Amino acid sequence: MSSARELAADLVNQVLLDGRSLTAALEAVPPGGDPRRRADAQDLCYGVLRHLGRLRFYLRRLTGRPVSPAELAGPLLVALYELAERDTPAYAAVNEAVDLVGRRHPRARGFVNGVLRNFPRQRSQLEAAAGADLEACWNFPDWWIEKLRGHYPDTWQAQLTAMNGHPPMTLRVNRRRTTRERYQALLDEAGLGWRQSGDWALTLAAPVRVTDLPGFADGLASVQDLGAQLAVPLLQCDNGMHVLDACAAPGGKTAHLLECHELDLLALDREAARLTRVTDNLRRLGLTAAVMAADAGAPAAWWDGRPFDRILLDAPCTASGVARRHPDGKWLKRLDDVHELAGQQARLLDAVWPLLRQGGKLLYATCSLFPEENGQQVEAFLVRHQDARLDTINLPDAPDGQLRPDSDHDGFFYARIVKT
């Protein structure tokens, strides 16, 4: 575990000090070596970031001053996580943190040793004090908690509790290559517990590596949250339609559309590097689409003038509904980002709307819980476009199109708009 702890400390510092996403930091880890090192480090990072509000509270109380040099935060937070949330023996967590710091900052050895050895002595007092601190209690930034509490006065606590847990691992069976019943049998043979959670969706009893999923490399199934799987039926496509997936990467919804229908589909994304995931997914699943790197908000540069029958706009957002899958996001986002992203969303909606034929349908989707990105965004769009009509969406427990995160799915928003 020693090398895993060192890697985890470096990754945590990249997120908290450099503002880098954990996904990007993990992808930059050089390949090779013991695969367990990367897996253990990833597990430690997710744990630290899920509990960061409380861990940083402990660290402030134990030090009484900002940590200096700032790079000490990584090893201290990893060690505190192990002591507070995993009950790792002190000799393992503390000694290795001190050794790691000693190699890089020898003069800080005594400081780190004193901080970590004080935690068990003060644990009960620290835990009691943390319960009275909003960020430490809920492990979310104060502004995030206040927004949820304001918009969801009856459910904000349940939502935060759900987002502090581990997400379910839900699969989407590729109907082009197998049936749900056959894939269920493969899961049984592999000794993997499951439950049916949708027509083509199966939720595993416990997460596993994708390489351990039967037939994954052969395209028999994909990993996709149950809430995300609602996009395709809500778009209401028919075979032969001309369809735009305006912000396609990493391609889960693109592939799902093509698994369900024979479509003339254009998968668009402004970041060419992210489209690699789209083409890789389509190749694995045996599917075909036109894939283009372009900005959906500037159609003059790429649109051929042929109207689309359907448009899926899975807009960039704060990802506030998927924080349990990406716990770094809640610490990297700022309140100003909500308003900045709302501006981007409005720009994209206005840009792609003229590309839709009369009678066509646009599905606006986000993985956000904030109304500025969701219901309020759609209301403002309808005011700007008199030829737009909001269609009724019948979702259990979400008549307004807003799915709250729970034990079955993450948080998503959907609105289907018809061109009259």
Side-chain angles (χ1 to χ4, degrees):
M1 278 292 291
S2 59
S3 61
R5 289 185 177 107
E6 183 173 4
L7 176 57
D10 287 340
L11 292 169
V12 167
N13 277 337
Q14 288 184 52
V15 172
L16 301 182
L17 303 182
D18 303 334
R20 193 177 194 184
S21 77
L22 181 56
T23 299
L26 284 165
E27 288 176 348
V29 175
D34 186 352
R36 291 175 299 179
R37 173 177 179 263
R38 178 192 169 100
D40 290 340
Q42 179 174 313
D43 188 49
L44 287 170
C45 289
Y46 272 85
V48 169
L49 295 168
R50 280 199 177 99
H51 298 88
L52 186 63
R54 183 169 292 247
L55 296 176
R56 286 205 293 206
F57 177 86
Y58 292 159
L59 193 54
R60 288 195 300 270
R61 289 295 183 97
L62 289 166
T63 62
R65 59 181 173 82
V67 174
S68 180
E71 290 80 8
L72 297 181
L76 281 167
L77 289 168
V78 170
L80 279 174
Y81 166 67
E82 291 199 86
L83 293 171
E85 303 297 335
R86 283 188 164 184
D87 289 322
T88 301
Y91 70 86
V94 176
N95 292 350
E96 290 193 14
V98 171
D99 288 345
L100 168 59
V101 168
R103 294 196 298 273
R104 301 182 182 186
H105 306 281
R107 297 175 63 183
R109 288 176 62 97
F111 169 72
V112 170
N113 185 63
V115 168
L116 295 179
R117 293 202 181 279
N118 270 334
F119 174 74
R121 302 180 190 127
Q122 301 181 27
R123 181 168 186 165
S124 59
Q125 300 97 309
L126 289 169
E127 289 176 345
D133 181 276
L134 193 65
E135 186 172 297
C137 179
W138 291 104
N139 286 305
F140 274 83
D142 288 343
W143 69 265
W144 191 308
I145 299 169
E146 293 297 348
K147 280 189 71 66
L148 283 186
R149 186 155 60 179
H151 293 307
Y152 306 98
D154 298 325
T155 63
W156 68 275
Q157 292 172 307
Q159 292 186 48
L160 290 175
T161 299
M163 289 192 290
N164 276 325
H166 291 268
M169 186 172 185
T170 301
L171 310 180
R172 185 189 75 242
V173 178
N174 183 359
R175 66 190 74 191
R176 297 277 182 180
R177 292 198 163 175
T178 188
T179 66
R180 191 191 68 228
E181 292 76 14
R182 288 175 189 159
Y183 197 75
Q184 289 168 350
L186 291 176
L187 291 175
D188 290 338
E189 291 175 13
L192 299 177
W194 57 270
R195 61 181 172 85
Q196 185 177 340
S197 49
D199 290 343
W200 291 85
L202 303 170
T203 299
L204 298 184
V208 299
R209 295 174 299 181
V210 292
T211 52
D212 293 333
L213 291 172
F216 181 82
D218 299 321
L220 300 189
S222 299
V223 179
Q224 187 181 35
D225 184 81
L226 186 61
Q229 294 190 40
L230 294 173
V232 168
L234 288 174
L235 191 55
Q236 296 181 332
C237 291
D238 290 321
N239 289 339
M241 281 187 168
H242 187 38
V243 178
L244 171 65
D245 187 351
C247 301
K253 297 180 180 69
T254 308
H256 193 191
L257 279 165
L258 294 169
E259 289 172 5
C260 295
H261 305 284
E262 297 285 349
L263 301 173
D264 173 16
L265 189 146
L266 172 60
L268 205 70
D269 202 275
R270 66 183 302 172
E271 296 184 34
R274 284 168 51 82
L275 284 172
T276 302
R277 290 276 303 278
V278 179
T279 54
D280 288 347
N281 277 328
L282 294 178
R283 186 180 303 111
R284 180 179 64 85
L285 297 165
L287 304 168
T288 303
V291 179
M292 182 186 297
D295 179 6
W302 55 266
W303 186 44
D304 63 4
R306 191 158 56 104
F308 293 97
D309 301 296
R310 296 288 187 270
I311 295 177
L312 171 61
L313 177 55
D314 190 0
C317 67
T318 56
S320 51
V322 295
R324 61 183 169 187
R325 295 187 189 277
H326 304 284
D328 54 320
K330 58 185 177 181
W331 308 111
L332 294 174
K333 294 291 190 302
R334 299 291 180 264
L335 180 59
D336 290 345
D337 293 332
V338 180
H339 307 292
E340 180 183 343
L341 285 162
Q344 294 182 34
Q345 294 150 7
R347 167 181 167 267
L348 288 168
L349 276 166
D350 290 343
V352 301
W353 185 247
L355 316 185
L356 186 67
R357 69 165 174 82
Q358 185 176 350
K361 298 178 181 180
L362 179 149
L363 186 69
Y364 175 74
T366 75
C367 53
S368 175
L369 299 170
F370 300 144
E372 295 93 330
E373 303 181 274
N374 297 339
Q376 294 175 17
Q377 182 71 254
V378 172
E379 290 172 6
F381 175 81
L382 295 174
V383 170
R384 296 195 303 272
H385 298 272
Q386 298 302 307
D387 59 345
R389 173 178 60 82
L390 187 62
D391 212 1
T392 301
I393 287 180
N394 295 314
L395 291 177
D397 303 321
D400 57 353
Q402 180 69 70
L403 273 73
R404 283 72 162 170
D406 60 23
S407 59
D408 292 324
H409 55 71
D410 290 336
F412 290 89
F413 175 81
Y414 292 108
R416 187 170 58 229
I417 306 171
V418 181
K419 195 167 208 177
T420 60

